[in-house]
Every structure is written in C-alpha cells, then in structure tokens.
Amino acid sequence: MRTNADRNWDMLERALAAESSGKSPRLFSSRKTLFGIPSSLDQELASLEESPLKPEDAHSTDSKNASEAARSKRPSESTRKPALVRHTIDPVFDTDSRVLLLGTMPSPKSRETGFYYGHPQNRFWKVMAALFDEKLPVTNDEKRDLALRHGIALWDVLAECTIEGASDGSIADCVPNDIGSLFARAPIEAVFCTGAKAAELYTKHCEVQTHLACTRLPSTSPANAAKSLEQLVEDYRAILPYCL
C-alpha cells in the first residue's frame, strides 16, 4: 500500500520533471533543483555562459562601435558655420542673348570647374541638350557655345553672400550682382530663375533695376529629387519662345 510519503515523493518528482521541461514555473531559488538536477532554465543559462562570442556577432559589434565612433567625430549641423563666398564666374551673353537664366550663387563644384551648373549630377545641361535636341555638352566651351547659339545668357543673382556649401536655405548677407547692367549690353526679353531662392532674391534685389519680373523654374540640382529629368525638360520649355 502506498503511503502519504510515497505520494509526496511522486508529486515532487512530477514537479521537477515539469520544471525541467519548461512546462512549469521555477519552483526553487537555487540554480539547481532540490536533488541537484538542473532545470531547463539552468541548462540554457549554462550554455550561454560557456558559449564564446560568434565571429559574426563580434564583427557586428565592431562595426557598430566603428560607426558610433565615426558619428561622434562628424561635426554637428549646429556647429558648422556658413562661409563668405564671392562670385568669380563671368556672365555668359552676347548681342543675341534674349533670355537670361539666373541661379543664386555658383556651387562649390561650379566654382571649382569655373562654369555654371558644374556639378556632375546637376541636370541643367541635360535639360538644355534635350530641349534643343543636341549632344550633351561636356567642356565649358561646349556649354557656353550651346547657350549662346540659342540666345541664352547665364548669370547668378548674387555677387556675394554667406552660404553653407551649396545650401540655398543657408544664404545670408546678400550682395546682388548688377543685373541691370547686363540689360544695357544684351537684348534681354525674359528672365527665368532656376529655383525658388533665386526667384525670391531676384524679386527682392534686382527687379527694381531691370523692371522685368522673373519666371520661376524648378531647380535642376540633384537635391530636387521630386522632379524627374522628363519633368524638368517639360518645365524648361517655357524658355523656348525667347530662344534662337
């Protein structure tokens, strides 16, 4: 006959088996069960303690640490200061120039190349080539020739400003170019500004001299990702009635 003690031992064995299988909450505060039998949780903890870090885990940790270190060395936006920039590229025009295209200020890449819209990802010259069904100009001379053959003059609204990189939004301390003087040397009939900031600055600083309102065109900068090349070409068709 089974005694109460026998039944108690059976209950304890079942409880230990359930804990070891993970089907029961932990019953003991020790890392080992009453009889030294490790529970399922004990086994998992032991395997974690004994297993070394996997190579891929170490690589991931190293990459994360390297990325965080690089970010810590990168200057924050709040600590970067705009620089004073002066316009150094001569305007492009001749006695046949009827339409004037104005930007704000040459970008760092344009100043480096010495010509307008010089960044390789700027789509201005792709738009011009598409409008006139011509080969894409590569050199500064080819770009100048394309513009002049079609009655296009090129310049920028500002002669000087402080600016952070090529960010129009950071422009301050503006000194405008003498756009009015160009009207005395070329038969300009229309002014188009290649971007919102150029149009804003032209209206504020130059229209009083030229007595001619500008038409705003979308920027061809790579920053204007909302516009595809096809859309830009369509928008720039507005200059064609004034072109040769």
Side-chain angles (χ1 to χ4, degrees), residues 99 131 190 192 215 217 233-243:
V99 55
L131 281 178
F192 292 85
T215 298
L217 293 173
V233 171
E234 190 61 32
D235 289 334
Y236 274 70
R237 290 189 187 281
I239 74 173
L240 292 180
Y242 306 94
C243 293

Side-chain angles (χ1 to χ4, degrees), residues 16 19 26 28 30-39 42:
L16 292 172
E19 178 191 340
R26 188 172 178 81
F28 303 97
S30 169
R31 280 285 307 275
K32 302 293 183 181
T33 59
L34 183 64
F35 296 103
I37 303 172
S39 69
D42 294 324

Side-chain angles (χ1 to χ4, degrees), residues 148-160:
L148 293 178
R149 282 190 291 105
H150 295 287
I152 297 172
L154 301 173
W155 207 7
D156 289 304
V157 175
L158 299 180
E160 181 181 305

Side-chain angles (χ1 to χ4, degrees), residues 167-230:
S167 171
D168 279 358
S170 67
I171 288 176
D173 308 315
C174 301
V175 177
N177 272 316
D178 185 7
I179 305 296
S181 68
L182 187 61
F183 278 60
R185 294 180 285 171
I188 302 297
E189 299 176 2
V191 176
F192 292 85
C193 290
T194 59
K197 191 65 174 182
E200 173 193 327
L201 293 172
Y202 173 86
T203 301
K204 180 177 181 180
H205 296 289
C206 306
E207 189 175 331
V208 66
Q209 296 177 338
T210 65
H211 306 291
L212 188 62
C214 71
T215 298
R216 170 185 162 185
L217 293 173
S219 171
T220 55
S221 164
N224 185 17
K227 286 281 186 177
S228 67
L229 177 60
E230 293 75 16

Side-chain angles (χ1 to χ4, degrees), residues 1-92:
M1 174 180 288
R2 293 176 60 80
T3 65
N4 288 336
D6 292 331
R7 285 192 289 273
N8 289 339
W9 281 112
D10 288 343
M11 291 174 61
L12 182 59
E13 288 175 355
R14 287 196 297 271
L16 292 172
E19 178 191 340
S20 181
S21 66
K23 297 179 180 180
S24 172
R26 188 172 178 81
L27 300 177
F28 303 97
S29 61
S30 169
R31 280 285 307 275
K32 302 293 183 181
T33 59
L34 183 64
F35 296 103
I37 303 172
S39 69
S40 58
L41 179 58
D42 294 324
Q43 293 171 349
E44 291 174 3
L45 292 174
S47 66
L48 289 174
E49 293 172 349
E50 295 171 1
S51 299
L53 188 66
K54 295 180 181 179
E56 58 266 30
D57 293 335
H59 175 73
S60 175
T61 301
D62 290 343
S63 298
K64 181 180 179 181
N65 291 339
S67 177
E68 290 175 351
R71 284 196 296 269
S72 67
K73 294 180 181 179
R74 186 184 307 158
S76 66
E77 293 295 328
S78 60
T79 60
R80 293 169 58 189
K81 295 182 179 179
L84 176 65
V85 175
R86 293 184 175 89
H87 202 296
T88 57
I89 305 175
D90 291 335
V92 172

